[in-house]
Amino acid sequence: MTTYRSRILGVGAYVPPRVVTNHDLSKVMETTHEWIVERSGIEERRWVDPGEGGAEMAAKACTEALEKAGVAAKDVDMLIYATLSPDVTFPGTGVFVQRLLKLGEIPCYDIRQQCTGFIYGLAMADAFIRTGQYKNILVIGSEVHSTGLDVSTRGRDVTVLFGDGAGAALVGRATDENMILSTHLHADGTEAEILWTESPASRNHPRITAEDMEAAKHYPHMVGKKVFKQAVTRMPMVLMEGMVTNGLKLDDIDMVIPHQANLRINQMVAKLIGLPEAKMHNNIQKYGNTTAASIPICLHEAIELGKIERGDTVALIAFGAGLTWASAFLRY
Ligand code: COA
């Protein structure tokens, strides 16, 4: 059987135009620009205006990814849409992107691995391409958080962290040494409730009540310190795992693109492994945490800035709700 390898052919990103600064938030809840910057590094984020959803943002990011790849929409043969904020309960949001881009009757997956979703999607695309079953796969991370946040002092610990946006990569067949080298996926559900949104829930009858809303169960909740500790432990581990698999030393890696959850987490990860600051790209300062979209948005920016060039060895690392964590190593 012929097997193939996959590579990233093009990357696109889109964020909504509305900028929400820390000062804007401090007008509607008890918080300060200084508190948010000191704890998370975030200065501003983008929030959608009414009418704009995850599918529309994703379609814009995909259009750019296709342009960058020089591949026509008609040649895409699968779509993988990673999100924790689907546009509607069902169907999955991927089909709306398929419709917007007129991709034809290709298979569309929606996957739910939160901040790790883009790397899980990349691993799926890599596996499908390796078998030869599909040739050009759009892997998307797209999130609308702003419509589901508690924009009051009660929800300030979570609300100040999240932003909206979309990123996409077109993954296709490798034709030379530039390829996805390996992916490493993990999950551990034992502490799933330290970062979750409990309602609405199909295990409840009805799925949501006035009491649930009174108790803010329809908003995300996080045990911040536990999440922080897990992130700074798991991300270095999964980076090391990829280095061992590929026989790479730290010096061999040109750029690390970490999930953008908290600048302090990423700085601590770099310090723990001894990675020079110049070898990690962060842009959480401008966009906050866009969960599944954060890695493609950050990767896109690093490429556009010329910080990543063809042939560079790049590591993507993520940690998120579930708990899930993952890495992907690629020769871009
Ligand atoms: N503005 C001002 N004060 C705030 C605040 C805000 N936005 N949010 C919380 N506070 C207050 C708390 O109420 C608390 O007050 P208290 O001491 O009077 O009780 C105080 O600040 C400290 O809160 P704490 O939760 O202990 O802060 P922290 O140092 O743990 O930082 C996070 C909070 C959220 C920034 C940090 O825990 C974190 O980054 N965790 C990981 C987040 C993450 O990565 N999530 C996504 C994973 S994919």
Side-chain angles (χ1 to χ4, degrees):
M1 190 180 95
T2 316
T3 58
Y4 302 90
R5 297 299 294 262
S6 75
R7 69 181 281 219
I8 291 183
L9 298 175
V11 182
Y14 173 82
V15 290
R18 181 156 68 106
V19 177
V20 177
T21 66
N22 294 343
H23 296 294
D24 294 332
L25 292 179
S26 70
K27 289 178 196 143
V28 287
M29 61 178 74
E30 286 170 30
T31 192
T32 61
H33 173 72
E34 291 69 27
W35 191 97
I36 301 169
V37 171
E38 189 192 317
R39 308 289 172 120
S40 71
I42 300 165
E43 292 169 22
E44 57 188 46
R45 70 289 292 141
R46 303 297 181 94
W47 283 4
V48 292
D49 284 313
E52 188 166 32
E56 284 83 11
M57 292 197 302
K60 289 174 182 154
C62 288
T63 301
E64 185 188 352
L66 290 170
E67 273 168 21
K68 293 270 159 63
V71 171
K74 68 172 178 41
D75 294 323
V76 174
D77 47 16
M78 175 182 267
L79 180 155
I80 300 169
Y81 188 96
T83 195
L84 67 71
S85 53
D87 282 5
V88 293
T89 303
F90 75 87
T93 311
V95 296
F96 296 107
V97 181
Q98 182 218 53
R99 188 170 75 185
L100 283 166
L101 294 175
K102 300 185 173 50
L103 296 178
E105 296 172 359
I106 61 163
C108 296
Y109 278 102
D110 268 44
I111 60 168
R112 298 285 303 271
Q113 282 73 30
Q114 300 66 243
C115 307
T116 317
F118 182 77
I119 299 183
Y120 266 70
L122 211 56
M124 282 175 80
D126 180 50
F128 274 118
I129 287 169
R130 280 178 190 249
T131 66
Q133 191 175 354
Y134 296 102
K135 209 173 160 189
N136 289 311
I137 303 179
L138 275 168
V139 181
I140 303 160
S142 185
E143 303 283 7
V144 176
H145 285 293
S146 56
T147 52
L149 294 172
D150 184 355
V151 187
S152 74
T153 299
R154 182 180 62 177
R156 64 182 178 176
D157 60 328
V158 172
T159 298
V160 299
L161 301 176
F162 289 97
D164 303 338
L170 183 73
V171 184
R173 276 185 192 165
T175 50
D176 55 24
E177 295 302 301
N178 293 340
M179 61 178 71
I180 294 179
L181 301 169
S182 65
T183 55
H184 309 272
L185 311 179
H186 297 280
D188 178 359
T190 51
E191 285 195 301
E193 291 85 357
I194 67 171
L195 182 50
W196 74 333
T197 299
E198 194 179 347
S199 280
S202 60
R203 64 184 178 185
N204 295 335
H205 301 260
R207 293 181 177 188
I208 188 161
T209 62
E211 290 75 36
D212 291 336
M213 292 182 78
E214 194 75 16
K217 289 185 181 175
H218 57 310
Y219 292 126
H221 290 277
M222 175 175 70
V223 185
K225 281 195 166 56
K226 276 195 177 186
V227 174
F228 195 104
K229 262 191 206 156
Q230 287 274 2
V232 295
T233 312
R234 303 299 196 180
M235 290 216 286
M237 280 166 63
V238 81
L239 183 74
M240 298 291 182
E241 186 182 350
M243 285 167 61
V244 170
T245 301
N246 295 294
L248 297 172
K249 299 188 295 301
L250 219 44
D251 278 354
D252 301 323
I253 299 175
D254 295 301
M255 188 58 68
V256 174
I257 302 291
H259 165 53
Q260 303 291 301
N262 185 321
L263 191 61
R264 305 290 163 249
I265 291 178
N266 293 349
Q267 287 169 335
M268 198 176 281
V269 168
K271 201 169 163 199
L272 282 168
I273 58 173
L275 186 80
E277 219 173 275
K279 283 197 175 194
M280 179 184 273
H281 187 61
N282 289 297
N283 62 5
I284 189 169
Q285 300 89 330
K286 291 184 286 181
Y287 305 121
N289 181 352
T290 57
T291 51
S294 93
I295 287 185
I297 290 175
C298 193
L299 176 65
H300 172 264
E301 187 176 276
I303 294 167
E304 294 301 303
L305 291 172
K307 287 186 166 193
I308 295 176
E309 291 180 346
R310 286 287 173 200
D312 282 357
T313 301
V314 179
L316 315 178
I317 49 172
F319 173 84
L323 303 171
T324 56
W325 59 102
S327 66
F329 279 68
L330 42 116
R331 207 170 298 113
Y332 175 70

